[in-house]
Amino acid sequence: MTRRMSDPAFRDDQMSRIDEPQVRAINALCDELMLEKPQFSVPYIAPHYGASTAVILALSSNPGPQAGGAKGSGMLSRENNDGSAARMSDIYETVGLTDDQIVPWNAYPWHVHETHPNGLPNNLIDDGLDALKRVLDRHPNIHSVVAHGGDAHRSVKQFMSKKRFGAYADARGLKVWNTRHTSNRAFILREPEKSIALEGVCEVYREAMRHAGLKPIAALKVDLPAPMTGPELRTAARGELLPLLPGAVEAEARISEYVNALPAQRSQRLLVELLLRDLAS
């Protein structure tokens, strides 16, 4: 079951239990972070997670509206009422990952989604590194970090650098994997690319689970449709991009984001098709 935070009874029950032992340490940290920046909220970790026993940390960008917004649950949860959370639940079920084995966090844990809906500036990425280390300090069983999306990728790159916490990460055997964000925007893909992209995220989690001493559910062999032809790739890209381009000012950034989110094979084939078309004109 997903999106259970849309049920007020479930949401209220989860919020009433944020001081339970399995999440007490990390939610105390959320309180500390809110005291440090009282103008911003920090969503708590929902107690259906077993943060105290987690061996994997799932890192995203910053709390979305269904977690930290005015109408949000006030918690990070795969049960939040949005597509990203629902997709994360599907991934966990596919690989056999349970709530007592993983905990979510954000590169910038304070809620700033309204002012930074399209990504975090470098100064906020930097500001979030100390909070990430404090999470890891309180949860010594975490050995794998799965970073979702560009902001999280930049965060872990800085965190693992020699200038920051590289020696700390090495000493505790921490390993990082970069993968696609689970947002709807990151999955604006047609088949078979969407299924390939989702399986790519699942395979990253399988690797992270093995590193942390867990045994994942093996991937099922699936017969996927034949890849699209060059003209079909152009048509698909046009259809998927046009709804994302409200104005010319944002066009380059949105197109870049779209291309970066494509599976490598598809982006290479699209580039070849466009070059062939250009050379033939």
PDB file of all heavy atoms in Angstrom, residues 8-42:
ATOM      1  N   PRO A   8      -5.853  10.989   7.136  1.00  0.00           N
ATOM      2  CA  PRO A   8      -5.528  11.763   8.348  1.00  0.00           C
ATOM      3  C   PRO A   8      -5.271  10.888   9.572  1.00  0.00           C
ATOM      4  O   PRO A   8      -4.406  11.218  10.396  1.00  0.00           O
ATOM      5  CB  PRO A   8      -6.760  12.653   8.549  1.00  0.00           C
ATOM      6  CG  PRO A   8      -7.356  12.774   7.181  1.00  0.00           C
ATOM      7  CD  PRO A   8      -7.110  11.457   6.513  1.00  0.00           C
ATOM      8  N   ALA A   9      -5.984   9.779   9.683  1.00  0.00           N
ATOM      9  CA  ALA A   9      -5.800   8.906  10.845  1.00  0.00           C
ATOM     10  C   ALA A   9      -4.396   8.295  10.840  1.00  0.00           C
ATOM     11  O   ALA A   9      -3.718   8.239  11.882  1.00  0.00           O
ATOM     12  CB  ALA A   9      -6.860   7.811  10.855  1.00  0.00           C
ATOM     13  N   PHE A  10      -3.949   7.844   9.676  1.00  0.00           N
ATOM     14  CA  PHE A  10      -2.605   7.268   9.578  1.00  0.00           C
ATOM     15  C   PHE A  10      -1.552   8.334   9.834  1.00  0.00           C
ATOM     16  O   PHE A  10      -0.595   8.117  10.589  1.00  0.00           O
ATOM     17  CB  PHE A  10      -2.396   6.647   8.188  1.00  0.00           C
ATOM     18  CG  PHE A  10      -1.026   6.067   7.987  1.00  0.00           C
ATOM     19  CD1 PHE A  10      -0.720   4.793   8.437  1.00  0.00           C
ATOM     20  CD2 PHE A  10      -0.027   6.800   7.347  1.00  0.00           C
ATOM     21  CE1 PHE A  10       0.561   4.257   8.253  1.00  0.00           C
ATOM     22  CE2 PHE A  10       1.243   6.273   7.161  1.00  0.00           C
ATOM     23  CZ  PHE A  10       1.538   4.997   7.616  1.00  0.00           C
ATOM     24  N   ARG A  11      -1.737   9.502   9.226  1.00  0.00           N
ATOM     25  CA  ARG A  11      -0.778  10.593   9.397  1.00  0.00           C
ATOM     26  C   ARG A  11      -0.682  11.020  10.856  1.00  0.00           C
ATOM     27  O   ARG A  11       0.424  11.192  11.392  1.00  0.00           O
ATOM     28  CB  ARG A  11      -1.178  11.780   8.521  1.00  0.00           C
ATOM     29  CG  ARG A  11      -0.193  12.942   8.571  1.00  0.00           C
ATOM     30  CD  ARG A  11      -0.635  14.083   7.685  1.00  0.00           C
ATOM     31  NE  ARG A  11      -1.887  14.679   8.135  1.00  0.00           N
ATOM     32  CZ  ARG A  11      -3.027  14.633   7.456  1.00  0.00           C
ATOM     33  NH1 ARG A  11      -3.096  14.038   6.275  1.00  0.00           N
ATOM     34  NH2 ARG A  11      -4.128  15.191   7.937  1.00  0.00           N
ATOM     35  N   ASP A  12      -1.811  11.181  11.507  1.00  0.00           N
ATOM     36  CA  ASP A  12      -1.806  11.616  12.905  1.00  0.00           C
ATOM     37  C   ASP A  12      -1.163  10.568  13.805  1.00  0.00           C
ATOM     38  O   ASP A  12      -0.453  10.902  14.767  1.00  0.00           O
ATOM     39  CB  ASP A  12      -3.231  11.903  13.374  1.00  0.00           C
ATOM     40  CG  ASP A  12      -3.840  13.123  12.694  1.00  0.00           C
ATOM     41  OD1 ASP A  12      -3.083  13.884  12.058  1.00  0.00           O
ATOM     42  OD2 ASP A  12      -5.075  13.309  12.799  1.00  0.00           O
ATOM     43  N   ASP A  13      -1.407   9.295  13.489  1.00  0.00           N
ATOM     44  CA  ASP A  13      -0.789   8.222  14.275  1.00  0.00           C
ATOM     45  C   ASP A  13       0.728   8.258  14.133  1.00  0.00           C
ATOM     46  O   ASP A  13       1.456   8.133  15.131  1.00  0.00           O
ATOM     47  CB  ASP A  13      -1.327   6.867  13.814  1.00  0.00           C
ATOM     48  CG  ASP A  13      -0.621   5.713  14.499  1.00  0.00           C
ATOM     49  OD1 ASP A  13      -0.813   5.530  15.714  1.00  0.00           O
ATOM     50  OD2 ASP A  13       0.156   4.997  13.818  1.00  0.00           O
ATOM     51  N   GLN A  14       1.205   8.448  12.912  1.00  0.00           N
ATOM     52  CA  GLN A  14       2.648   8.507  12.699  1.00  0.00           C
ATOM     53  C   GLN A  14       3.263   9.709  13.416  1.00  0.00           C
ATOM     54  O   GLN A  14       4.298   9.588  14.073  1.00  0.00           O
ATOM     55  CB  GLN A  14       2.948   8.580  11.195  1.00  0.00           C
ATOM     56  CG  GLN A  14       2.690   7.285  10.447  1.00  0.00           C
ATOM     57  CD  GLN A  14       3.699   6.208  10.764  1.00  0.00           C
ATOM     58  OE1 GLN A  14       4.889   6.348  10.498  1.00  0.00           O
ATOM     59  NE2 GLN A  14       3.234   5.115  11.363  1.00  0.00           N
ATOM     60  N   MET A  15       2.624  10.857  13.325  1.00  0.00           N
ATOM     61  CA  MET A  15       3.160  12.054  13.971  1.00  0.00           C
ATOM     62  C   MET A  15       3.165  11.907  15.492  1.00  0.00           C
ATOM     63  O   MET A  15       4.066  12.441  16.167  1.00  0.00           O
ATOM     64  CB  MET A  15       2.359  13.282  13.546  1.00  0.00           C
ATOM     65  CG  MET A  15       2.903  14.600  14.086  1.00  0.00           C
ATOM     66  SD  MET A  15       4.622  14.952  13.591  1.00  0.00           S
ATOM     67  CE  MET A  15       4.370  15.518  11.899  1.00  0.00           C
ATOM     68  N   SER A  16       2.213  11.194  16.044  1.00  0.00           N
ATOM     69  CA  SER A  16       2.146  11.024  17.503  1.00  0.00           C
ATOM     70  C   SER A  16       3.250  10.111  18.032  1.00  0.00           C
ATOM     71  O   SER A  16       3.480  10.053  19.239  1.00  0.00           O
ATOM     72  CB  SER A  16       0.779  10.447  17.912  1.00  0.00           C
ATOM     73  OG  SER A  16       0.658   9.082  17.523  1.00  0.00           O
ATOM     74  N   ARG A  17       3.967   9.445  17.114  1.00  0.00           N
ATOM     75  CA  ARG A  17       4.964   8.450  17.531  1.00  0.00           C
ATOM     76  C   ARG A  17       6.392   8.841  17.117  1.00  0.00           C
ATOM     77  O   ARG A  17       7.276   7.997  17.100  1.00  0.00           O
ATOM     78  CB  ARG A  17       4.603   7.084  16.926  1.00  0.00           C
ATOM     79  CG  ARG A  17       3.298   6.511  17.462  1.00  0.00           C
ATOM     80  CD  ARG A  17       2.750   5.399  16.569  1.00  0.00           C
ATOM     81  NE  ARG A  17       3.785   4.436  16.224  1.00  0.00           N
ATOM     82  CZ  ARG A  17       3.787   3.695  15.110  1.00  0.00           C
ATOM     83  NH1 ARG A  17       2.791   3.833  14.236  1.00  0.00           N
ATOM     84  NH2 ARG A  17       4.753   2.846  14.878  1.00  0.00           N
ATOM     85  N   ILE A  18       6.611  10.119  16.833  1.00  0.00           N
ATOM     86  CA  ILE A  18       7.928  10.525  16.334  1.00  0.00           C
ATOM     87  C   ILE A  18       9.031  10.447  17.390  1.00  0.00           C
ATOM     88  O   ILE A  18      10.208  10.586  17.062  1.00  0.00           O
ATOM     89  CB  ILE A  18       7.902  11.942  15.727  1.00  0.00           C
ATOM     90  CG1 ILE A  18       7.444  12.958  16.775  1.00  0.00           C
ATOM     91  CG2 ILE A  18       7.034  11.988  14.481  1.00  0.00           C
ATOM     92  CD1 ILE A  18       7.598  14.404  16.313  1.00  0.00           C
ATOM     93  N   ASP A  19       8.652  10.223  18.657  1.00  0.00           N
ATOM     94  CA  ASP A  19       9.664  10.082  19.703  1.00  0.00           C
ATOM     95  C   ASP A  19       9.907   8.632  20.089  1.00  0.00           C
ATOM     96  O   ASP A  19      10.589   8.357  21.084  1.00  0.00           O
ATOM     97  CB  ASP A  19       9.245  10.873  20.955  1.00  0.00           C
ATOM     98  CG  ASP A  19       9.309  12.376  20.732  1.00  0.00           C
ATOM     99  OD1 ASP A  19      10.215  12.826  20.013  1.00  0.00           O
ATOM    100  OD2 ASP A  19       8.437  13.091  21.266  1.00  0.00           O
ATOM    101  N   GLU A  20       9.382   7.705  19.299  1.00  0.00           N
ATOM    102  CA  GLU A  20       9.625   6.293  19.595  1.00  0.00           C
ATOM    103  C   GLU A  20      11.107   5.960  19.436  1.00  0.00           C
ATOM    104  O   GLU A  20      11.837   6.649  18.697  1.00  0.00           O
ATOM    105  CB  GLU A  20       8.769   5.409  18.690  1.00  0.00           C
ATOM    106  CG  GLU A  20       7.295   5.428  19.064  1.00  0.00           C
ATOM    107  CD  GLU A  20       6.456   4.441  18.282  1.00  0.00           C
ATOM    108  OE1 GLU A  20       6.943   3.877  17.272  1.00  0.00           O
ATOM    109  OE2 GLU A  20       5.300   4.228  18.681  1.00  0.00           O
ATOM    110  N   PRO A  21      11.585   4.907  20.122  1.00  0.00           N
ATOM    111  CA  PRO A  21      13.034   4.630  20.163  1.00  0.00           C
ATOM    112  C   PRO A  21      13.716   4.531  18.803  1.00  0.00           C
ATOM    113  O   PRO A  21      14.843   5.003  18.631  1.00  0.00           O
ATOM    114  CB  PRO A  21      13.102   3.294  20.917  1.00  0.00           C
ATOM    115  CG  PRO A  21      11.883   3.289  21.775  1.00  0.00           C
ATOM    116  CD  PRO A  21      10.822   3.987  20.980  1.00  0.00           C
ATOM    117  N   GLN A  22      13.037   3.937  17.815  1.00  0.00           N
ATOM    118  CA  GLN A  22      13.700   3.694  16.527  1.00  0.00           C
ATOM    119  C   GLN A  22      13.982   4.979  15.748  1.00  0.00           C
ATOM    120  O   GLN A  22      14.843   4.994  14.858  1.00  0.00           O
ATOM    121  CB  GLN A  22      12.869   2.722  15.671  1.00  0.00           C
ATOM    122  CG  GLN A  22      11.598   3.291  15.067  1.00  0.00           C
ATOM    123  CD  GLN A  22      10.411   3.249  16.023  1.00  0.00           C
ATOM    124  OE1 GLN A  22      10.577   3.029  17.219  1.00  0.00           O
ATOM    125  NE2 GLN A  22       9.216   3.430  15.489  1.00  0.00           N
ATOM    126  N   VAL A  23      13.278   6.061  16.065  1.00  0.00           N
ATOM    127  CA  VAL A  23      13.491   7.332  15.359  1.00  0.00           C
ATOM    128  C   VAL A  23      13.821   8.480  16.315  1.00  0.00           C
ATOM    129  O   VAL A  23      13.906   9.632  15.890  1.00  0.00           O
ATOM    130  CB  VAL A  23      12.246   7.710  14.507  1.00  0.00           C
ATOM    131  CG1 VAL A  23      12.130   6.797  13.303  1.00  0.00           C
ATOM    132  CG2 VAL A  23      10.969   7.698  15.341  1.00  0.00           C
ATOM    133  N   ARG A  24      14.019   8.168  17.574  1.00  0.00           N
ATOM    134  CA  ARG A  24      14.222   9.235  18.574  1.00  0.00           C
ATOM    135  C   ARG A  24      15.467  10.063  18.271  1.00  0.00           C
ATOM    136  O   ARG A  24      15.435  11.304  18.305  1.00  0.00           O
ATOM    137  CB  ARG A  24      14.325   8.626  19.969  1.00  0.00           C
ATOM    138  CG  ARG A  24      14.433   9.662  21.087  1.00  0.00           C
ATOM    139  CD  ARG A  24      14.402   8.979  22.431  1.00  0.00           C
ATOM    140  NE  ARG A  24      13.115   8.309  22.649  1.00  0.00           N
ATOM    141  CZ  ARG A  24      12.978   7.184  23.355  1.00  0.00           C
ATOM    142  NH1 ARG A  24      14.042   6.598  23.884  1.00  0.00           N
ATOM    143  NH2 ARG A  24      11.783   6.654  23.521  1.00  0.00           N
ATOM    144  N   ALA A  25      16.567   9.406  17.934  1.00  0.00           N
ATOM    145  CA  ALA A  25      17.815  10.138  17.716  1.00  0.00           C
ATOM    146  C   ALA A  25      17.739  11.047  16.495  1.00  0.00           C
ATOM    147  O   ALA A  25      18.125  12.220  16.551  1.00  0.00           O
ATOM    148  CB  ALA A  25      18.972   9.148  17.563  1.00  0.00           C
ATOM    149  N   ILE A  26      17.217  10.531  15.402  1.00  0.00           N
ATOM    150  CA  ILE A  26      17.189  11.337  14.183  1.00  0.00           C
ATOM    151  C   ILE A  26      16.155  12.453  14.279  1.00  0.00           C
ATOM    152  O   ILE A  26      16.368  13.563  13.764  1.00  0.00           O
ATOM    153  CB  ILE A  26      16.944  10.446  12.938  1.00  0.00           C
ATOM    154  CG1 ILE A  26      17.335  11.212  11.669  1.00  0.00           C
ATOM    155  CG2 ILE A  26      15.507   9.926  12.877  1.00  0.00           C
ATOM    156  CD1 ILE A  26      17.470  10.355  10.434  1.00  0.00           C
ATOM    157  N   ASN A  27      15.053  12.221  14.964  1.00  0.00           N
ATOM    158  CA  ASN A  27      14.054  13.282  15.103  1.00  0.00           C
ATOM    159  C   ASN A  27      14.472  14.327  16.132  1.00  0.00           C
ATOM    160  O   ASN A  27      14.076  15.496  16.023  1.00  0.00           O
ATOM    161  CB  ASN A  27      12.687  12.677  15.427  1.00  0.00           C
ATOM    162  CG  ASN A  27      12.056  12.038  14.200  1.00  0.00           C
ATOM    163  OD1 ASN A  27      12.393  12.397  13.071  1.00  0.00           O
ATOM    164  ND2 ASN A  27      11.144  11.097  14.411  1.00  0.00           N
ATOM    165  N   ALA A  28      15.286  13.932  17.099  1.00  0.00           N
ATOM    166  CA  ALA A  28      15.892  14.935  17.990  1.00  0.00           C
ATOM    167  C   ALA A  28      16.826  15.840  17.189  1.00  0.00           C
ATOM    168  O   ALA A  28      16.898  17.053  17.427  1.00  0.00           O
ATOM    169  CB  ALA A  28      16.649  14.247  19.119  1.00  0.00           C
ATOM    170  N   LEU A  29      17.530  15.249  16.205  1.00  0.00           N
ATOM    171  CA  LEU A  29      18.377  16.054  15.330  1.00  0.00           C
ATOM    172  C   LEU A  29      17.533  17.021  14.505  1.00  0.00           C
ATOM    173  O   LEU A  29      17.927  18.186  14.322  1.00  0.00           O
ATOM    174  CB  LEU A  29      19.186  15.147  14.405  1.00  0.00           C
ATOM    175  CG  LEU A  29      20.019  15.847  13.326  1.00  0.00           C
ATOM    176  CD1 LEU A  29      21.032  16.802  13.952  1.00  0.00           C
ATOM    177  CD2 LEU A  29      20.705  14.831  12.430  1.00  0.00           C
ATOM    178  N   CYS A  30      16.372  16.580  14.035  1.00  0.00           N
ATOM    179  CA  CYS A  30      15.481  17.485  13.294  1.00  0.00           C
ATOM    180  C   CYS A  30      15.104  18.687  14.152  1.00  0.00           C
ATOM    181  O   CYS A  30      15.083  19.829  13.666  1.00  0.00           O
ATOM    182  CB  CYS A  30      14.218  16.730  12.847  1.00  0.00           C
ATOM    183  SG  CYS A  30      14.516  15.462  11.597  1.00  0.00           S
ATOM    184  N   ASP A  31      14.818  18.443  15.426  1.00  0.00           N
ATOM    185  CA  ASP A  31      14.501  19.552  16.342  1.00  0.00           C
ATOM    186  C   ASP A  31      15.695  20.493  16.482  1.00  0.00           C
ATOM    187  O   ASP A  31      15.536  21.727  16.498  1.00  0.00           O
ATOM    188  CB  ASP A  31      14.097  19.000  17.710  1.00  0.00           C
ATOM    189  CG  ASP A  31      12.690  18.426  17.720  1.00  0.00           C
ATOM    190  OD1 ASP A  31      11.834  18.890  16.940  1.00  0.00           O
ATOM    191  OD2 ASP A  31      12.436  17.491  18.517  1.00  0.00           O
ATOM    192  N   GLU A  32      16.900  19.924  16.603  1.00  0.00           N
ATOM    193  CA  GLU A  32      18.103  20.751  16.722  1.00  0.00           C
ATOM    194  C   GLU A  32      18.289  21.627  15.482  1.00  0.00           C
ATOM    195  O   GLU A  32      18.618  22.819  15.589  1.00  0.00           O
ATOM    196  CB  GLU A  32      19.332  19.854  16.897  1.00  0.00           C
ATOM    197  CG  GLU A  32      19.383  19.100  18.214  1.00  0.00           C
ATOM    198  CD  GLU A  32      20.531  18.094  18.241  1.00  0.00           C
ATOM    199  OE1 GLU A  32      21.472  18.238  17.413  1.00  0.00           O
ATOM    200  OE2 GLU A  32      20.490  17.163  19.072  1.00  0.00           O
ATOM    201  N   LEU A  33      18.072  21.037  14.314  1.00  0.00           N
ATOM    202  CA  LEU A  33      18.256  21.780  13.065  1.00  0.00           C
ATOM    203  C   LEU A  33      17.241  22.906  12.935  1.00  0.00           C
ATOM    204  O   LEU A  33      17.556  23.976  12.400  1.00  0.00           O
ATOM    205  CB  LEU A  33      18.159  20.828  11.874  1.00  0.00           C
ATOM    206  CG  LEU A  33      19.257  19.757  11.787  1.00  0.00           C
ATOM    207  CD1 LEU A  33      18.970  18.808  10.630  1.00  0.00           C
ATOM    208  CD2 LEU A  33      20.635  20.385  11.639  1.00  0.00           C
ATOM    209  N   MET A  34      16.029  22.677  13.427  1.00  0.00           N
ATOM    210  CA  MET A  34      15.015  23.738  13.387  1.00  0.00           C
ATOM    211  C   MET A  34      15.360  24.872  14.342  1.00  0.00           C
ATOM    212  O   MET A  34      15.073  26.040  14.065  1.00  0.00           O
ATOM    213  CB  MET A  34      13.633  23.163  13.676  1.00  0.00           C
ATOM    214  CG  MET A  34      13.032  22.436  12.470  1.00  0.00           C
ATOM    215  SD  MET A  34      11.309  21.914  12.687  1.00  0.00           S
ATOM    216  CE  MET A  34      11.537  20.372  13.583  1.00  0.00           C
ATOM    217  N   LEU A  35      15.983  24.552  15.466  1.00  0.00           N
ATOM    218  CA  LEU A  35      16.425  25.595  16.382  1.00  0.00           C
ATOM    219  C   LEU A  35      17.561  26.419  15.767  1.00  0.00           C
ATOM    220  O   LEU A  35      17.667  27.624  15.997  1.00  0.00           O
ATOM    221  CB  LEU A  35      16.899  24.971  17.699  1.00  0.00           C
ATOM    222  CG  LEU A  35      15.807  24.413  18.616  1.00  0.00           C
ATOM    223  CD1 LEU A  35      16.429  23.702  19.814  1.00  0.00           C
ATOM    224  CD2 LEU A  35      14.864  25.516  19.082  1.00  0.00           C
ATOM    225  N   GLU A  36      18.387  25.761  14.966  1.00  0.00           N
ATOM    226  CA  GLU A  36      19.505  26.462  14.328  1.00  0.00           C
ATOM    227  C   GLU A  36      19.036  27.386  13.205  1.00  0.00           C
ATOM    228  O   GLU A  36      19.658  28.416  12.948  1.00  0.00           O
ATOM    229  CB  GLU A  36      20.504  25.437  13.795  1.00  0.00           C
ATOM    230  CG  GLU A  36      21.221  24.660  14.895  1.00  0.00           C
ATOM    231  CD  GLU A  36      21.994  23.462  14.381  1.00  0.00           C
ATOM    232  OE1 GLU A  36      22.237  23.400  13.146  1.00  0.00           O
ATOM    233  OE2 GLU A  36      22.363  22.590  15.192  1.00  0.00           O
ATOM    234  N   LYS A  37      17.958  27.016  12.527  1.00  0.00           N
ATOM    235  CA  LYS A  37      17.380  27.856  11.468  1.00  0.00           C
ATOM    236  C   LYS A  37      15.872  27.941  11.716  1.00  0.00           C
ATOM    237  O   LYS A  37      15.083  27.267  11.047  1.00  0.00           O
ATOM    238  CB  LYS A  37      17.656  27.256  10.086  1.00  0.00           C
ATOM    239  CG  LYS A  37      19.120  27.204   9.690  1.00  0.00           C
ATOM    240  CD  LYS A  37      19.274  26.634   8.275  1.00  0.00           C
ATOM    241  CE  LYS A  37      20.739  26.419   7.912  1.00  0.00           C
ATOM    242  NZ  LYS A  37      21.466  27.676   7.707  1.00  0.00           N
ATOM    243  N   PRO A  38      15.446  28.740  12.694  1.00  0.00           N
ATOM    244  CA  PRO A  38      14.040  28.740  13.115  1.00  0.00           C
ATOM    245  C   PRO A  38      13.061  29.231  12.050  1.00  0.00           C
ATOM    246  O   PRO A  38      11.853  29.042  12.192  1.00  0.00           O
ATOM    247  CB  PRO A  38      14.042  29.673  14.334  1.00  0.00           C
ATOM    248  CG  PRO A  38      15.273  30.494  14.211  1.00  0.00           C
ATOM    249  CD  PRO A  38      16.277  29.633  13.522  1.00  0.00           C
ATOM    250  N   GLN A  39      13.564  29.828  10.985  1.00  0.00           N
ATOM    251  CA  GLN A  39      12.659  30.284   9.927  1.00  0.00           C
ATOM    252  C   GLN A  39      12.237  29.153   8.999  1.00  0.00           C
ATOM    253  O   GLN A  39      11.349  29.327   8.157  1.00  0.00           O
ATOM    254  CB  GLN A  39      13.306  31.411   9.105  1.00  0.00           C
ATOM    255  CG  GLN A  39      14.496  31.004   8.233  1.00  0.00           C
ATOM    256  CD  GLN A  39      15.825  31.051   8.976  1.00  0.00           C
ATOM    257  OE1 GLN A  39      15.912  30.704  10.151  1.00  0.00           O
ATOM    258  NE2 GLN A  39      16.863  31.473   8.275  1.00  0.00           N
ATOM    259  N   PHE A  40      12.876  27.972   9.148  1.00  0.00           N
ATOM    260  CA  PHE A  40      12.580  26.836   8.274  1.00  0.00           C
ATOM    261  C   PHE A  40      12.186  25.610   9.096  1.00  0.00           C
ATOM    262  O   PHE A  40      12.700  25.401  10.200  1.00  0.00           O
ATOM    263  CB  PHE A  40      13.793  26.464   7.407  1.00  0.00           C
ATOM    264  CG  PHE A  40      14.266  27.579   6.516  1.00  0.00           C
ATOM    265  CD1 PHE A  40      15.528  28.138   6.687  1.00  0.00           C
ATOM    266  CD2 PHE A  40      13.457  28.064   5.502  1.00  0.00           C
ATOM    267  CE1 PHE A  40      15.975  29.153   5.853  1.00  0.00           C
ATOM    268  CE2 PHE A  40      13.894  29.088   4.667  1.00  0.00           C
ATOM    269  CZ  PHE A  40      15.148  29.639   4.854  1.00  0.00           C
ATOM    270  N   SER A  41      11.308  24.810   8.538  1.00  0.00           N
ATOM    271  CA  SER A  41      10.947  23.543   9.170  1.00  0.00           C
ATOM    272  C   SER A  41      11.829  22.424   8.625  1.00  0.00           C
ATOM    273  O   SER A  41      12.390  22.521   7.531  1.00  0.00           O
ATOM    274  CB  SER A  41       9.476  23.203   8.908  1.00  0.00           C
ATOM    275  OG  SER A  41       9.254  22.987   7.524  1.00  0.00           O
ATOM    276  N   VAL A  42      11.968  21.366   9.405  1.00  0.00           N
ATOM    277  CA  VAL A  42      12.665  20.147   8.987  1.00  0.00           C
ATOM    278  C   VAL A  42      11.710  18.988   9.225  1.00  0.00           C
ATOM    279  O   VAL A  42      11.391  18.683  10.379  1.00  0.00           O
ATOM    280  CB  VAL A  42      13.966  19.923   9.796  1.00  0.00           C
ATOM    281  CG1 VAL A  42      14.624  18.602   9.392  1.00  0.00           C
ATOM    282  CG2 VAL A  42      14.928  21.081   9.586  1.00  0.00           C
TER     283      VAL A  42
END
